[in-house]
Amino acid sequence: MNKKDFQLNVEETLEKYQINELTEGLSEQQVKEQLAKYGPNKIESKKTPKWRLFLRQFNNMIICILMISALLTLIMGHRSDAMIIAIVVIVNALIGYFQEANASDALERIKEMMSAEATVYREGIRTDVPAEDIVVGDVVFLEAGDNVPADLRIVEADNLRIQESALTGEPDSVEKEIEALENSETPLAEQNNLAFASTSVTSGSGEGVVVAVGAQTEIGKISTEVNNADDRKTPLMQEIDGLGKGITYVIMGVAIVLFIVSLFLKTYSLSVLSLAVVTMIVGSIPEGLPATTSVVLAMGVSDMAKNKHTIVKTLPAVETLGSVDVVATDKTGTLTKNEMTVKDIIFRDCHYQVSGDGYQPTGEILQEGQKATISQQLTLFLEAGYEANDTVLVEEDGRWQINGEPTDGSFLTLYYKALGCDAPEYQEIDMLPFDSDYRYMAKLVENPAGEKILFIKGSPDKLFVMAEESESDFDKNYWQKHVTDLSAEGKRVVAVGYQKMPASVTEVTHELLEAGICLIGVAGIIDPPREEVIPALKEMNDAGVAVKMITGDHPLTAKAIGEKLGLAPKIKVITGGELDELTGEDFKQAVLNNQVFARTTPKNKMDIVEALQDSGKVTAMTGDGVNDAPALKRADIGVAMGMKGTDVAKDSADMILTDDNFGTMSVAIREGRRIYDNIKKSILFLLPTSFAEGLIIAFTILMQKEMPLQPTQLLWINMVSAITIQFAFIFEPAEAGLMKRKPRKTGSSLLNRHDIWQMAYVSVIMALISIVAHDWLLDQGVSQVVASTMMVNIVVLSKIFYLFNIRTSQPVISKSFFSNPKAFLIIGIMLILQLLLTYVPFMQQAFHTASMSWTAWGIAIASGVIILVITEIDKMIRLKRK
């Protein structure tokens, strides 16, 4: 069986890639052959042409019918009507186009992460070449500060450490080694003899053989997954598309039947009949539906950006949050701070706790819940942790950041918390940097009194052996128990010691340390949970939203964090390797039944999201690293962190949390549910009016009477009045108990049976009242123009009264009546527009209207009251049943 690259030893690696000497590298001929075989070391991306994006916006049933209607209207000579319909179509297309065209290309960001240059050995010469020219088999030299140009099998390592958190989720830099790994299923985060393209060398140096370039690298595979991830339509868009198709089929069916019946009856000429049918279609189709939906979403997006620290890149994404069943989230930097923090200090005779999280030096050292006295022993521990350190902690723009290793940074923060920001009064003499072979670092210093002290910090198992050399009564069992206990809590354990040195010692050596040290104590360090996450998780769980944590961390660490966060009442953990062994239904069940996924790869994250979606779950994915990008793009809604998130993650996501606050997710879910409610209310409000207009024309055709409404009057009702009044729903506040509801079921219809029943009877009542009142007015000797003007006002005033029924699920006479003051302002604007339509001469000419009597106004107002009373009686019956 072929071994994987990390399973090969150094000799096997050199043999596989035909390398005689490391410093010799490849020949020019070998480079040409490898370039022809594997291609250049770059990532290709395909862009959709702008013209195709624009044409894609017309792939919509309602838009297609409106375009046909505009064309027919134009052919029949009604240019103004055709122009208004065409404007509606173009506006909707432009909205959709700019949404897609402005979305950034995540693949371009991934390409930017690839190294520009690399140092390689070729024909015995060490030279710098463009990273794009690197080929499989090249020997690459790495040193601190370099970006890794391709995937490498490390064959030489001198204290080589590489930061891979963006790719694997591990917060600390990874020590690299050259030994082969036995297990073929070793997860990505534990492949310590490989270096991956786009990661960065933080310390040391080394050499590696290129084993993958371009799309075959780990980051290249991510780019392929991002490129291949299908953009799924959001649940709302699917529901609206389905609704639009259903409405269109019904309207077109009715129109065809009416046309055939009228042709048979021969009441109208063909041209008059054609115009009447087109008028019915235009009146019945809710032209304002796409625009209204976009406006409600756009206002929600704007509000979230201004007040809720959330940037939403595509309008439907904000509503999608309202229907989310599962939030799959990265751990490091999302649920946790990605800032290692000392939380426990254990000495031989006491145990201290440390408050405060992250690198900001705010907090105290506590003992039994009280502020601890800073004893000489504790001071020595703090100074040792500070001195045996080569990391820098600085404050920039109000934020504390490190330059170096997170674990080392935690000791600097600890020192500042207890002793302030003044450095200890020691003079450095020599330093032994951290070495992966020895797993500790030490520094020789001199204090103001002229004494030399050696401080050391590192792996407990290494320091315990040293302590046994100098302390005859060293209780290894005591210390080992505490190490085990802290590790079980998911904490990283670091031991700290010291030794006084003779004045003659000027250099730190491993032999000097092996002679013995005095162990001061051990520290328990953790990447702390974000404080705001815990209440947010509780609110999401109450709302029926499950949260699943996906991380590259060790299972014990991941489980401990999950328990601290209150991720679920009982935490079940599974690793990426265990998931890889499952298929089909077993895989889906494992994804549904486990809350924590540890030691995962980018592919695991993608598979988890797909399994959740295949199980009928609307899935949100949050993350901040390159390794999160494919899952962010595949999810129903991808959410990236704005401050610490990589550009790749942000460009792959639909939404960005600008404050990196996972707690904002629960706020966004609440806002998404409010927006969904308001979109549904606006649809329930819009459709009966459109249907009523269509029914007026249909009833008139069946009764063989003259058309009571002109096309321009129908367009006024549909576009001007409908959209104006619907602005009220933008400002409608969330209803009580919104976050106590369970997420709506996937695949459920936007409208339930009662919604359809209510729309049907409201549209029929509105149409019948309008026709009866119109005919009665004609019988009284009033002109056709006045009668049709009254009909327009009956429909509009009925809409205004109906608005108060739709606005809330509570009775109209309740405290919710005044919960949306802007609704009254919008109604006032609409009434002014109706008065202008009725009484201003140029409006009368354009829309075929005339001044109305008080009687006509009384009939219009009474019609609205009737609609409100009937719908409120219906609402009271439903509330009593509940």
Side-chain angles (χ1 to χ4, degrees), residues 209-469:
V209 176
V210 176
V211 297
V213 295
Q216 298 306 310
T217 62
E218 290 300 324
I219 196 169
K221 292 173 186 175
I222 289 174
S223 74
T224 301
E225 289 174 352
V226 169
N227 199 25
N228 294 339
D230 296 327
D231 290 325
R232 288 162 55 97
K233 280 194 173 183
T234 67
L236 176 68
M237 292 299 105
Q238 291 175 18
E239 291 168 9
I240 289 179
D241 283 352
L243 179 65
K245 285 180 182 178
I247 290 171
T248 303
Y249 290 146
V250 170
I251 291 171
M252 295 305 294
V254 171
I256 291 169
V257 170
L258 282 176
F259 188 81
I260 293 171
V261 170
S262 296
L263 274 180
F264 179 76
L265 294 174
K266 298 181 180 180
T267 306
Y268 304 105
S269 66
L270 185 60
S271 61
V272 172
L273 177 60
S274 298
L275 180 60
V277 171
V278 169
T279 301
M280 192 210 80
I281 292 172
V282 173
S284 301
I285 285 183
E287 293 98 326
L289 181 58
T292 301
T293 302
S294 295
V295 170
V296 174
L297 290 171
M299 292 298 289
V301 166
S302 176
D303 180 57
M304 292 185 78
K306 290 178 183 175
N307 305 316
K308 297 179 176 65
H309 308 288
T310 306
I311 297 171
V312 181
K313 290 161 58 180
T314 57
L315 295 183
V318 67
E319 176 280 328
T320 306
L321 274 169
S323 57
V324 161
D325 296 294
V326 180
V327 176
T329 176
D330 178 42
K331 176 186 76 70
T332 306
T334 305
L335 299 180
T336 62
K337 289 177 173 287
N338 196 17
E339 297 178 356
M340 299 301 285
T341 306
V342 176
K343 301 301 291 183
D344 298 89
I345 303 170
I346 297 176
F347 293 160
R348 189 191 301 268
D349 54 356
C350 59
H351 184 171
Y352 297 99
Q353 292 79 38
V354 184
S355 64
D357 292 325
Y359 295 137
Q360 183 171 340
T362 302
E364 296 177 326
I365 297 178
L366 307 171
Q367 187 174 21
E368 296 179 355
Q370 302 297 317
K371 185 176 181 180
T373 302
I374 307 299
S375 64
Q376 186 175 355
Q377 183 186 32
L378 185 53
T379 300
L380 187 64
F381 179 91
L382 297 170
E383 291 177 341
Y386 185 97
E387 291 294 332
N389 205 312
D390 60 357
T391 291
V392 177
L393 176 64
V394 294
E395 184 180 14
E396 294 181 2
D397 300 325
R399 291 184 61 215
W400 289 83
Q401 299 175 337
I402 63 163
N403 184 354
E405 291 299 318
T407 299
D408 291 346
S410 70
F411 279 92
L412 299 180
T413 303
L414 177 66
Y415 178 90
Y416 292 160
K417 284 178 181 178
L419 301 178
C421 293
D422 293 329
E425 295 181 357
Y426 292 109
Q427 182 179 349
E428 180 180 339
I429 298 171
D430 189 32
M431 182 171 180
L432 189 68
F434 186 90
D435 189 308
S436 57
D437 289 335
Y438 293 92
R439 302 206 303 279
Y440 55 74
M441 67 189 307
K443 184 185 285 188
L444 180 64
V445 299
E446 184 177 332
N447 67 17
E451 294 178 307
K452 288 185 177 178
I453 305 174
L454 181 65
F455 290 123
I456 182 171
K457 169 171 64 66
S459 174
D461 62 327
K462 296 290 185 181
L463 269 66
F464 290 172
V465 173
M466 298 175 191
E468 285 180 303
E469 289 294 324

Side-chain angles (χ1 to χ4, degrees), residues 466-531:
M466 298 175 191
E468 285 180 303
E469 289 294 324
S470 62
E471 298 179 34
S472 57
D473 60 343
F474 183 77
D475 188 352
K476 189 174 181 179
N477 290 333
Y478 168 84
W479 291 107
Q480 194 59 54
K481 180 181 182 302
H482 281 295
V483 170
T484 303
D485 291 344
L486 291 172
S487 298
E489 295 173 10
K491 293 172 182 171
R492 180 170 298 160
V493 185
V494 175
V496 178
Y498 81 105
Q499 187 64 282
K500 291 185 178 180
M501 290 287 142
S504 59
V505 176
T506 58
E507 183 182 2
V508 184
T509 64
H510 296 296
E511 293 74 21
L512 187 67
L513 293 165
E514 288 166 2
I517 65 164
C518 296
L519 184 72
I520 309 172
V522 298
I525 306 170
I526 198 166
D527 181 10
R530 293 174 172 272
E531 299 89 344

Side-chain angles (χ1 to χ4, degrees), residues 225-233 238 602-603 605-615 617-621 628-639 652-654:
E225 289 174 352
V226 169
N227 199 25
N228 294 339
D230 296 327
D231 290 325
R232 288 162 55 97
K233 280 194 173 183
Q238 291 175 18
K603 187 176 185 306
K605 294 187 178 187
M606 183 89 153
D607 291 343
I608 290 166
V609 169
E610 287 180 346
L612 289 168
Q613 291 173 327
D614 290 344
S615 300
K617 304 293 184 184
V618 178
T619 305
M621 172 73 197
D628 300 316
L632 287 171
K633 190 147 189 269
R634 181 67 176 85
D636 294 292
I637 177 165
V639 184
S652 299
D654 304 293

Side-chain angles (χ1 to χ4, degrees), residues 121-141:
Y121 291 98
R122 286 188 180 170
E123 297 189 332
I125 300 172
R126 195 167 99 178
T127 181
D128 289 340
V129 299
E132 188 175 315
D133 295 341
I134 283 178
V135 297
V136 172
D138 260 326
V139 179
V140 177
F141 175 78

Side-chain angles (χ1 to χ4, degrees), residues 48-59 89-98 100-101:
T48 304
K50 297 290 179 71
W51 62 268
R52 186 172 293 175
L53 286 181
F54 184 71
L55 291 180
R56 190 187 292 171
Q57 310 310 316
F58 296 92
N59 185 22
V89 170
I90 292 170
V91 167
N92 279 300
L94 288 173
I95 290 171
Y97 168 76
F98 285 115
E100 289 197 50

